[in-house]
Amino acid sequence: MDEISSNKQVKLTFSDIDLTKQLFGEHNGNLQRIAEAIGITIHARGSTVIIQGDSIATNLAKNILNQLYGLLKEKLPVYPSDIDYAVRALCSDDNIKLKDIFLDKVFISSKKRFITPKNRAQKEYIDAIRKYDMVFGIGPAGTGKTYLAMAMAMAVSALSKKQINRIILTRPAVEAGETLGFLPGDLAEKVDPYLRPLYDALHDMMRFERVSNLIHQGIIEVAPLAFMRGRTLNDAFIILDEAQNTTSEQMKMFLTRIGFNSKTVITGDITQTDLPVNKPSGLIETKNILQGIDGIKFVFFSKTDVVRHKLVQKIINAYEELEASKKNIDS
């Protein structure tokens, strides 16, 4: 591609017409998405774009477009949401190579369906799960902690290769508290609502019939945390979700269940603890005492790593501002 630049203007010409159309998006929608995100103007003429704005922003836009074009050349489709992830990633660090992130494929089915990380934190998380036997993913809602852990369980388990025998998904049913016995139905029906997010992630990755069959065979187990007591979990990929709602005793119980040839991922958001005021979070405690132990890896996500609807990040910002104002008033 040819490039001509000045202080306030950058012109880029892309050589592949078909890839250029994909890069620009329908009615140049991708270009406008980038322009609005970083406060510049972008005009397209054929396979050329003219970027206007301050020098920092125009260089950022040039970097974004060049790297997205590189992804397209690698036959990786670029969706509007990927534009948002690319803008966020390169705004935080213009040395990031999107290829290193987006081209890392986690295969989750025999049909070669795959999931890719969308930012540097997700890439670090996936690499940590590959390398370590125990990984903690800590950060706000919407950063992909549970979803990616589930994807890695599918990939690492390689059920057809029998690298591990089962996948165990668990979370505390802390919201039920003392009222669990008053809910209608048997025990399974009472705790099912608290496990539903895990089922949702499973069904997003596999057909309903396949999930049901694997659960029936015992290859996938979805159970409340209390059901882990007294067990030794060998040859398994274990995910503890919503770990911020474990007590210190529950977390110790869970972590000491891990057996031979097992891999464990613990996820949680320490800003959304539902435990009683007098009950400290087991996840916060582990963060303070287990970092630095060989074989355990902590990966921390921030609000900039949110990969849900863009409103989720704005909501997180609003609540952070509210908490900050409360602290100022109290002080």
Side-chain angles (χ1 to χ4, degrees):
M1 66 191 73
D2 301 321
E3 175 186 320
I4 303 170
S5 62
S6 64
N7 189 35
K8 292 290 185 179
Q9 177 175 296
V10 171
K11 181 185 291 186
L12 294 176
T13 300
F14 300 94
S15 57
D16 189 305
I17 300 300
D18 291 334
L19 294 184
T20 301
K21 289 179 180 178
Q22 295 178 52
L23 177 63
F24 291 3
E26 188 174 358
H27 305 302
N28 295 331
N30 290 346
L31 298 181
Q32 295 312 308
R33 202 176 188 97
I34 295 171
E36 291 173 8
I38 59 180
I40 57 170
T41 60
I42 304 180
H43 300 287
R45 294 176 183 172
S47 59
T48 298
V49 292
I50 299 172
I51 308 166
Q52 292 179 304
D54 67 65
S55 57
I56 294 176
T58 53
N59 286 332
L60 174 60
K62 179 183 72 174
N63 190 11
I64 292 169
L65 287 168
N66 282 336
Q67 292 211 43
L68 290 175
Y69 184 73
L71 294 178
L72 290 167
K73 290 175 69 175
E74 297 287 344
K75 302 188 184 305
L76 187 74
V78 173
Y79 301 103
S81 57
D82 295 326
I83 305 290
D84 297 336
Y85 306 148
V87 169
R88 258 184 261 160
L90 292 170
C91 279
S92 64
D93 183 353
D94 60 5
N95 291 316
I96 287 176
K97 302 301 180 186
L98 295 181
K99 284 185 179 181
D100 294 341
I101 298 172
F102 282 65
L103 294 181
D104 186 351
K105 298 178 180 179
V106 179
F107 290 96
I108 59 173
S109 75
S110 58
K111 294 182 179 180
K112 299 299 181 183
R113 185 187 170 196
F114 62 87
I115 289 171
T116 63
K118 299 301 182 183
N119 51 53
R120 188 162 54 179
Q122 287 195 351
K123 170 65 174 169
E124 180 187 357
Y125 187 50
I126 286 174
D127 287 342
I129 294 173
R130 288 175 175 140
K131 182 177 179 181
Y132 294 88
D133 288 338
M134 183 175 292
V135 175
F136 288 80
I138 300 176
T143 49
K145 303 181 301 296
T146 303
Y147 193 85
L148 285 175
M150 199 83 76
M152 289 300 294
M154 300 298 174
V156 173
S157 66
L159 297 177
S160 61
K161 299 179 182 178
K162 297 297 181 184
Q163 292 179 8
I164 64 173
N165 293 331
R166 53 188 169 159
I167 297 171
I168 299 173
L169 314 172
T170 185
R171 57 164 26 195
V174 67
E175 297 91 343
E178 297 299 324
T179 64
L180 188 62
F182 296 98
L183 294 174
D186 58 22
L187 181 58
E189 291 171 323
K190 290 175 180 179
V191 300
D192 186 70
Y194 305 102
L195 303 174
R196 180 52 50 189
L198 298 176
Y199 285 110
D200 289 343
L202 276 174
H203 291 149
D204 191 56
M205 296 179 192
M206 288 191 292
R207 289 178 289 106
F208 180 85
E209 297 78 8
R210 174 69 171 157
V211 172
S212 299
N213 187 41
L214 291 174
I215 291 175
H216 180 72
Q217 295 176 42
I219 295 174
I220 293 178
E221 177 184 346
V222 184
L225 180 60
F227 285 24
M228 299 299 109
R229 189 174 297 278
R231 303 173 64 182
T232 300
L233 307 175
N234 295 318
D235 304 310
F237 193 115
I238 311 133
I239 299 173
L240 170 59
D241 190 35
E242 295 289 320
Q244 76 275 7
N245 289 328
T246 61
T247 64
S248 175
E249 295 79 10
Q250 287 174 323
M251 180 62 82
K252 181 181 178 182
M253 177 275 292
F254 172 77
L255 295 179
T256 54
R257 300 304 93 203
I258 311 308
F260 294 108
N261 194 37
S262 287
K263 188 176 288 285
T264 308
V265 180
I266 300 98
T267 72
D269 177 2
I270 57 178
T271 69
Q272 295 194 46
T273 300
D274 298 317
L275 293 168
V277 176
N278 61 340
K279 282 283 187 182
S281 167
L283 180 60
I284 295 175
E285 183 178 71
T286 58
K287 182 175 74 73
N288 294 334
I289 67 174
L290 297 186
Q291 288 195 67
I293 293 180
D294 189 37
I296 299 177
K297 177 68 173 179
F298 283 78
V299 178
F300 295 94
F301 296 82
S302 71
K303 61 186 178 183
T304 61
D305 300 314
V306 171
V307 292
R308 288 182 186 167
H309 193 288
K310 60 184 178 181
L311 284 177
V312 173
Q313 191 173 20
K314 294 180 180 180
I315 290 168
I316 292 172
N317 287 338
Y319 275 99
E320 286 184 350
E321 290 172 5
L322 176 64
E323 289 300 318
S325 65
K326 287 181 178 178
K327 289 179 181 179
N328 290 335
I329 293 173
D330 292 339
S331 59

